[in-house]
Amino acid sequence: MKLQQWAHLAEIGASVGVIVTLLLLLQEVRGNTAAIERQASLDRTATWTAPFFPSSDLPDILAKIKAVDGEEPGQQAFVDRYNLTAEESILWIRHLSSIWTRLETEYLYDGPSEALGLVIQGLLTTPDNQLFWEHPMGILTAEFVSYVESVR
């Protein structure tokens, strides 16, 4: 081969290398953008729910719930079923809302996965989450609700 042909092949190789590098960079940027958007959504959720429940109260509320139901699902509203005060009931519902909205964010950004399905199945075995799910507050998208029902 002539020197000119080698130079031409080198140019083509360099061009292909640049294109591959740009494609990899584009994929990395998309991944980083999705991660940033996911974190922003989670931060908004945390900001929305954080002022409403002090973490020191959550174990006491959970103890009351588990003392009544153990692992059996409840059928009544939180106040009636668990003998919670209205404030405790609101506090617990907002806590569960933050859990479910975080799962929804994961679903919306990452799509359905086996790991997400297992987490949802685990949550739905607890009576308070079943009760929460049976009395939806309209905070979750129809798409996510449909996914949870399919996992359920």
Side-chain angles (χ1 to χ4, degrees):
M1 278 193 159
K2 295 182 181 180
L3 184 61
Q4 206 173 27
Q5 289 174 330
W6 283 109
H8 186 63
L9 285 176
E11 258 183 57
I12 292 172
S15 297
V16 169
V18 167
I19 291 171
V20 169
T21 302
L22 286 174
L23 291 175
L24 291 173
L25 182 60
L26 180 62
Q27 184 179 6
E28 183 70 23
V29 167
R30 284 184 179 169
N32 289 343
T33 301
I36 290 168
E37 288 173 351
R38 181 183 313 110
Q39 188 59 47
S41 176
L42 292 175
D43 289 346
R44 279 193 301 276
T45 300
T47 300
W48 177 73
T49 58
F52 301 114
F53 57 88
S55 60
S56 61
D57 290 342
L58 294 177
D60 294 335
I61 295 169
L62 182 58
K64 282 185 176 183
I65 291 170
K66 298 306 175 192
V68 171
D69 269 351
E71 294 300 319
E72 296 300 317
Q75 297 297 319
Q76 302 172 357
F78 282 87
V79 172
D80 296 332
R81 180 73 178 154
Y82 299 115
N83 196 28
L84 301 176
T85 65
E87 293 81 12
E88 288 173 331
S89 177
I90 291 168
L91 190 69
W92 194 254
I93 289 169
R94 287 186 176 154
H95 170 66
L96 294 179
S97 297
S98 71
I99 292 170
W100 284 99
T101 53
R102 284 177 182 264
L103 292 174
E104 179 181 37
T105 300
E106 183 179 332
Y107 170 77
L108 292 174
Y109 282 102
D110 297 335
S113 69
E114 186 177 337
L116 179 60
L118 291 173
V119 169
I120 290 170
Q121 287 175 346
L123 282 174
L124 291 174
T125 62
T126 62
D128 52 318
N129 274 286
Q130 286 188 18
L131 186 60
F132 174 82
W133 196 252
E134 291 167 9
H135 298 86
M137 298 175 9
I139 59 169
L140 304 171
T141 63
E143 181 182 354
F144 182 65
V145 169
S146 174
Y147 172 69
V148 171
E149 289 301 326
S150 72
V151 169
R152 192 176 188 188

